[in-house]
Amino acid sequence: MEKALLVSVQLKTDKHHWRIEDISAELEELASSTSVEVLENVICICDHATPNYLIGKGKVEEIGFIAHEEGADVVIFSHDLSGTQQRNLEKALGRRTIDRTQLILDIFSRRARSPEGKMQVELAQLEYLLPRMSGKGVMLSDLGGGIGTRGPGETKLELDRRQARKKIDKLKEDLKGTRQHRQAMCKKRKSNNLPIVALVGYTSAGKSTLLNLLTASTQVTSEKLFTTLDPLSKNLCLPNGQNVIVSDTVGFLHELPHHLIEAFKATLEEVSEADLLIHVLDAADPRLILHNQAVLSVLEELELQDKPVLVALNKIDLIQDRSWLEVSKKEFSNSVCLSAKTGENLDILISKVTDYFSGLMLSLNIVIPHHRMELVDFFYRQAKIEKIDYLQDGINISLVIPRMLFSRIEKDKDIKINPATLAKD
Ligand SMILES: Nc1nc2c(ncn2[C@@H]2O[C@H](COP(=O)(O)OP(=O)(O)OP(=O)(O)O)[C@@H](O)[C@H]2O)c(=O)[nH]1
Ligand SMILES: [Mg+2]
């Protein structure tokens, strides 16, 4: 296992408001989510970035000394480095030096499972690396392998600039194809008229655990960051009989590297189609407010800030002082405190989701002819049937349907809607 020396950097000029303790804690979590052994985490607070080394020369020497003493194979910076800074640091420290983006890309390359996920990660890696390859076209394998030099599925990224550009074009082309396929799938679900609820939130907030609990599925969960890269959608039947699709998504992160935002915009299409977002927050994490801000800004970047949101303040089983929850509940309007692990208050979440969608429901009485029996099946799947009578001149059904289904019913010439039930609504 590679031995890593971490360097957590806070610049007074940084735009975010993360304290150095939070920056260094997150860097450790990220590093532990890949396969390195963390030796030490050096803290570095500077006024501003220097063009050659990011941090001051004296600090670089100190880090070089520690790296040597402890036998580090790689040095990982919490801050993004320019190509020049990275090359200079590597020379000065005498070992491979990578930045936060490379670390995150490394985690993503390990986790990507679906062909699309792999392509997206590889594209993001190449786009990140291209401007950093030297003019002659240094083979990446010259870096000696290890963290940050591997493509998805453990393949080595062995390319010169020209090849990298070609590969980027090819990946973009291939991704277009898979994207069209996914859009078609998404449209199909939409045409089924099933509302979509998307679980969004900071990485490790408990989205997949909540999906598993809600829909009795077996999505992989772990304390490591970015466990889920491939979105998964499952059916959930609400207590009022209505079916909805619940979608798990890739976790967000503060200052999510630009390349990844671009790469995962497509994966997050599911979120853009969603009728309701459940924002899962780890309420037991001291960085709760920072995580919330980070998620809101990613949503904004994806232009999804106007979607209706229900906040799930998760992991309350870990919170001893419950009075604190009242405070955070005030902070987050339309929220539910729950535990996806123990199931506490899951019923409240479900009833909030149900309430949300029942506002969008319509009660109707209709008559359909006997030769359209397939409609009965359809309504059993898509609506809640309250009463059904098989009469001589047709099947009389009282049912509650999602409002968005109404236009489809209205268009069907065979379905007769009892006007009295319409007037009532
Ligand atoms: N104690 C406790 N642990 C929880 C709860 N919900 C989730 N966890 C744990 O938190 C860790 C992360 O959970 P996941 O469901 O994988 O989180 P996620 O949001 O899907 O994370 P990514 O896929 O990495 O974005 C796992 O170790 C879970 O067991 C909870 O309510 N209480
Ligand atoms: Mg997950």
Side-chain angles (χ1 to χ4, degrees):
M1 207 196 267
E2 282 186 286
K3 292 186 181 140
L5 179 68
L6 308 185
V7 182
S8 300
V9 184
Q10 187 186 44
L11 303 175
K12 297 225 167 96
T13 46
D14 277 339
K15 278 189 235 92
H16 60 74
H17 302 295
W18 282 54
R19 297 172 313 155
I20 188 69
E21 298 88 317
D22 297 324
I23 295 172
S24 63
E26 181 166 275
L27 184 63
E28 274 172 41
E29 281 167 18
L30 284 168
S32 327
S33 297
T34 180
S35 68
V36 293
E37 178 193 337
V38 175
L39 297 169
E40 202 177 312
N41 192 347
V42 182
I43 302 288
C44 210
I45 300 175
C46 316
D47 286 339
H48 54 85
T50 68
N52 290 335
Y53 293 100
L54 177 76
I55 54 177
K57 196 78 204 288
K59 198 73 191 176
V60 175
E61 276 165 20
E62 184 191 326
I63 292 165
F65 179 74
I66 302 174
H68 180 73
E69 283 288 290
E70 304 207 7
D73 302 304
V74 58
V75 180
I76 308 177
F77 276 73
S78 68
H79 213 277
D80 279 342
L81 302 169
S82 70
T84 312
Q85 289 166 341
Q86 187 173 19
R87 273 193 298 277
N88 290 341
L89 283 165
E90 252 171 15
K91 220 187 236 162
L93 300 172
R95 56 236 329 123
R96 230 153 40 75
T97 303
I98 66 167
D99 64 11
R100 183 171 177 267
T101 295
Q102 257 174 307
L103 177 60
I104 295 169
L105 285 169
D106 193 88
I107 301 174
F108 273 60
S109 74
R110 283 160 198 273
R111 302 271 200 282
R113 291 283 170 269
S114 70
E116 187 184 15
K118 285 184 181 169
M119 282 195 276
Q120 275 171 343
V121 174
E122 196 169 1
L123 178 63
Q125 283 180 311
L126 291 172
E127 286 188 326
Y128 172 83
L129 288 169
L130 186 64
R132 287 171 168 77
M133 292 178 181
S134 72
K136 286 200 300 306
V138 162
M139 303 291 263
L140 285 160
S141 55
D142 288 353
L143 299 173
I147 186 171
T149 60
R150 187 182 14 233
E154 308 288 307
T155 55
K156 258 188 191 166
L157 288 168
E158 240 173 315
L159 295 166
D160 62 26
R161 278 175 86 126
R162 195 183 53 85
Q163 286 172 309
R165 271 202 206 96
K166 258 177 106 174
K167 183 93 206 198
I168 287 176
D169 289 342
K170 171 91 172 59
L171 282 167
K172 282 188 174 161
E173 196 54 40
D174 291 349
L175 275 167
K176 240 194 235 160
T178 46
R179 196 169 167 204
Q180 275 161 359
H181 174 70
R182 202 161 23 76
Q183 276 174 341
M185 293 288 290
C186 203
K187 251 205 200 112
K188 188 162 164 255
R189 270 206 289 275
K190 275 268 145 185
S191 72
N192 268 344
N193 289 297
L194 288 188
I196 298 176
V197 179
L199 300 172
V200 296
Y202 214 76
T203 178
S204 224
K207 300 176 293 296
S208 304
T209 310
L210 186 58
L211 177 91
N212 288 345
L213 189 69
L214 281 169
T215 65
S217 45
T218 50
Q219 177 82 316
V220 177
T221 65
S222 99
E223 72 286 358
K224 295 195 169 174
L225 308 187
F226 298 115
T227 306
T228 310
L229 281 196
D230 298 319
L232 179 78
S233 298
K234 285 274 169 182
N235 201 68
L236 166 69
C237 183
L238 296 172
N240 65 356
Q242 186 182 11
N243 282 301
V244 296
I245 302 275
V246 185
S247 286
D248 192 7
T249 60
V250 58
F252 297 172
L253 191 74
H254 98 110
E255 315 243 294
L256 196 63
H258 174 71
H259 294 293
L260 276 182
I261 292 236
E262 280 308 313
F264 281 87
K265 254 186 191 163
T267 324
L268 289 164
E269 249 162 36
E270 204 90 24
V271 183
S272 62
E273 292 291 329
D275 300 282
L276 175 68
L277 304 182
I278 297 184
H279 176 184
V280 185
L281 271 163
D282 179 348
D285 193 304
R287 290 162 291 178
L288 169 68
I289 301 293
L290 293 171
H291 287 178
N292 179 50
Q293 283 161 353
V295 170
L296 295 182
S297 66
V298 177
L299 286 176
E300 214 162 293
E301 193 145 354
L302 300 169
E303 295 177 12
L304 299 171
Q305 69 274 28
D306 297 328
K307 290 255 174 210
V309 184
L310 186 56
V311 176
L313 292 164
N314 190 30
K315 307 200 188 180
I316 56 165
D317 57 297
L318 296 177
I319 299 175
Q320 254 119 50
D321 180 8
R322 291 285 175 104
S323 63
W324 181 83
L325 280 179
E326 289 309 308
V327 180
S328 16
K329 260 187 95 166
K330 274 195 199 115
E331 182 90 21
F332 301 98
S333 57
N334 203 18
S335 62
V336 183
C337 296
L338 54 84
S339 165
K341 193 165 194 173
T342 64
E344 185 180 349
N345 291 351
L346 184 74
D347 50 338
I348 303 181
L349 178 76
I350 292 178
S351 77
K352 284 223 178 207
V353 174
T354 311
D355 285 352
Y356 176 77
F357 286 110
S358 35
L360 308 172
M361 302 292 276
L362 207 56
S363 295
L364 285 180
N365 179 268
I366 56 173
V367 179
I368 55 175
H370 289 290
H371 71 270
R372 297 292 309 275
M373 268 304 283
E374 85 279 1
L375 283 173
V376 177
D377 279 347
F378 173 77
F379 288 130
Y380 268 117
R381 268 183 283 119
Q382 306 284 341
K384 187 182 181 198
I385 298 195
E386 300 201 308
K387 193 162 179 277
I388 183 160
D389 291 317
Y390 292 84
L391 307 174
Q392 208 159 21
D393 48 352
I395 308 163
N396 186 308
I397 314 174
S398 295
L399 75 181
V400 183
I401 57 157
R403 237 168 233 281
M404 49 181 133
L405 210 62
F406 183 68
S407 58
R408 179 160 172 186
I409 292 182
E410 208 180 23
K411 265 191 238 138
D412 195 317
K413 297 272 180 302
D414 281 337
I415 304 178
K416 284 199 189 66
I417 304 172
N418 179 349
T421 58
L422 258 189
K424 190 183 78 186
D425 216 274

